[in-house]
Amino acid sequence: MTPFHIDVPQTDLDDLRDRLARTRWPRPLPGDGWTRGVPVDYLRDLADYWRGGYDWRVHEARLNEFPQFRTEIDGQDIHFLHVRSPEPDALPLILTHGWPNSIVEFTNLIGPLTDPRAYGGDPGQAFHVVAPSVPGFGFSAPPAQTGWTVGRVARIWAGLMSRLGYEHYGTMGGDLGAYVAPEVAIADPDRVVGVYVIGGLGFPTESDVPELTEAEQAAFASLQQADWMNGVDHHALLRAAPQTFAYGWQDSPAAALAWMMQKFHEFNTDPRPVEQVLDRDLILTNLSLYWFTGTFGSSSWFMYDSTAFAWPQGQTAAPTGVYSGPPGIRRLAERHNTILHWPESNSAGHHFVAMEQPDAFAADLRTFFAKVR
């Protein structure tokens, strides 16, 4: 284990600001709002703020408040946060972030999880938190070969928890993490006490449709019409030509900003603009991490190493809880999971709920793990 400290060179910050200042802005295309993609005026305002108003050093210092390390497992250099709770009987918990996200996803979540006493919670429900950067993301090394799978990442996570000396632990993830977290239980069934995902289980496939009830068919139809189901198909795009698109994201911060905001906008179910739902600086810290580490392309491995999109199925090695059951269907999720926690009404205005509502998310996560400790 090697201690790690984030320290982006000043030359990289200067280069970012210079590139933003020299952006060749396109002409606005006809159409209202976001109908043609990210509006030019909107992005120019945000780029101006990223260049002159946003302070990376403030957020770099905040990230450095978390103890960080690097270690090599399975030939892979892994970066991770390891924040132990002041409560000695805390349950170890490994968090897996989503795409296009990073450990920044958990910036406001770690405190309520590790020290619930300080946030008005029950100290008996505290966690020791481990939050690795998925290979190819942030400060973890990118996969050097093709053929990577979420199962391989999960085995690395199990090895990391063993190396840290944890005899039993929980696993949590959303988005990409909703694929990885169940695989951790499959890889380490004797030590994983529970799997918690933000959502994604029990989504019907076309083959399920004829057997759906009338209410389930209505829910499926609503799902198919959701904005986040009908935006840019990033799975198809990054499966087809990730190297091609990486040139723009690697060379132009405006292109990188446009891509990130396109996805964060599509992942927003709240009627308010995304920067009013999620903290604007938090979004830009996540983007800056991608920019400074040059990981827009390498973070796409789970899409370019796949042949088609599929929803996560889960596992039966450990009990499962979710933050939000709907729009998934519980009876479908129970084909592949032992569901212990399936709330119907947890609020979520954004796909990355841990960024949006860390306190509510932490409370629900504690509710589930209280059942399996």
Side-chain angles (χ1 to χ4, degrees):
M1 299 287 178
T2 304
F4 184 83
H5 183 82
I6 304 172
D7 187 13
V8 172
Q10 185 61 40
T11 52
D12 288 0
L13 287 167
D14 295 340
D15 175 70
L16 170 61
R17 295 185 179 113
D18 179 62
R19 288 171 184 262
L20 285 167
R22 293 186 295 107
T23 300
R24 296 180 64 212
W25 293 102
R27 296 184 182 90
L29 300 179
D32 296 328
W34 290 70
T35 56
R36 296 291 184 269
V38 185
V40 176
D41 288 346
Y42 172 91
L43 201 72
R44 290 192 75 151
D45 287 344
L46 193 55
D48 286 344
Y49 176 71
W50 191 19
R51 177 173 174 259
Y54 170 81
D55 189 342
W56 163 257
R57 293 301 186 198
V58 169
H59 298 282
E60 180 183 70
R62 188 180 183 198
L63 289 174
N64 280 327
E65 292 174 359
F66 301 120
Q68 301 173 57
F69 304 87
R70 292 181 79 165
T71 192
E72 183 180 317
I73 302 176
D74 189 21
Q76 191 72 21
D77 195 13
I78 298 296
H79 164 262
F80 64 99
L81 311 183
H82 184 203
V83 187
R84 288 187 60 83
S85 171
E87 308 297 338
D89 295 328
L91 175 70
L93 178 66
I94 188 165
L95 312 179
T96 306
H97 61 78
W99 175 97
N101 222 320
S102 65
I103 55 166
V104 172
E105 184 175 346
F106 306 128
T107 302
N108 296 324
L109 179 67
I110 291 174
L113 291 182
T114 57
D115 194 7
R117 188 192 303 267
Y119 291 83
D122 180 357
Q125 295 182 334
F127 299 91
H128 299 307
V129 168
V130 179
S133 297
V134 174
F137 291 72
F139 299 105
S140 283
Q145 307 89 20
T146 59
W148 271 75
T149 65
V150 291
R152 184 171 178 181
V153 174
R155 291 190 292 274
I156 292 175
W157 278 196
L160 175 60
M161 297 304 276
S162 178
R163 188 168 294 183
L164 292 172
Y166 291 130
E167 295 296 327
H168 65 281
Y169 60 95
T171 176
M172 186 285 288
D175 190 83
L176 171 60
Y179 295 82
V180 175
E183 290 287 338
V184 177
I186 295 171
D188 203 6
D190 293 334
R191 295 193 301 148
V192 172
V193 299
V195 175
Y196 182 98
V197 297
I198 292 175
L201 299 179
F203 280 28
T205 63
E206 290 294 340
S207 62
D208 293 319
V209 172
E211 300 179 4
L212 297 181
T213 66
E214 185 174 340
E216 291 170 345
Q217 287 180 353
F220 179 67
S222 177
L223 170 67
Q224 295 298 93
Q225 296 168 8
D227 287 347
W228 57 273
M229 286 285 289
N230 294 284
V232 175
D233 188 345
H234 53 275
H235 282 268
L237 185 153
L238 293 170
R239 194 161 51 241
Q243 189 71 68
T244 299
F245 298 104
Y247 293 109
W249 300 325
Q250 182 80 8
D251 188 62
S252 168
L257 176 62
W259 176 240
M260 188 67 73
M261 297 315 299
Q262 177 73 39
K263 297 317 301 180
F264 270 64
H265 169 77
E266 289 174 354
F267 288 166
N268 185 29
T269 60
D270 194 289
R272 296 173 297 163
V274 64
E275 70 276 8
Q276 294 180 22
V277 179
L278 303 183
D279 181 75
R280 178 174 60 171
D281 275 18
L282 209 56
I283 296 173
L284 289 175
T285 300
N286 180 62
L287 170 61
S288 298
L289 192 61
Y290 274 77
W291 176 261
F292 292 131
T293 58
T295 49
F296 284 97
S298 62
S299 63
S300 304
W301 61 262
F302 61 97
M303 287 176 271
Y304 65 67
D305 265 347
S306 67
T307 56
F309 171 78
W311 295 108
Q313 283 194 338
Q315 50 73 49
T316 56
T320 294
V322 298
Y323 177 79
S324 178
I329 297 171
R330 180 166 183 164
R331 69 174 184 86
L332 298 182
E334 287 176 336
R335 296 182 299 190
H336 306 287
N337 301 270
T338 304
I339 301 293
L340 204 62
H341 183 72
W342 185 272
E344 295 283 341
S345 58
N346 275 348
S347 61
H350 198 276
H351 181 63
F352 294 125
V353 66
M355 295 176 78
E356 179 204 358
Q357 301 185 49
D359 292 335
F361 184 73
D364 193 73
L365 198 150
R366 286 193 291 266
T367 297
F368 167 69
F369 279 104
K371 303 174 182 178
V372 298
R373 283 175 180 262

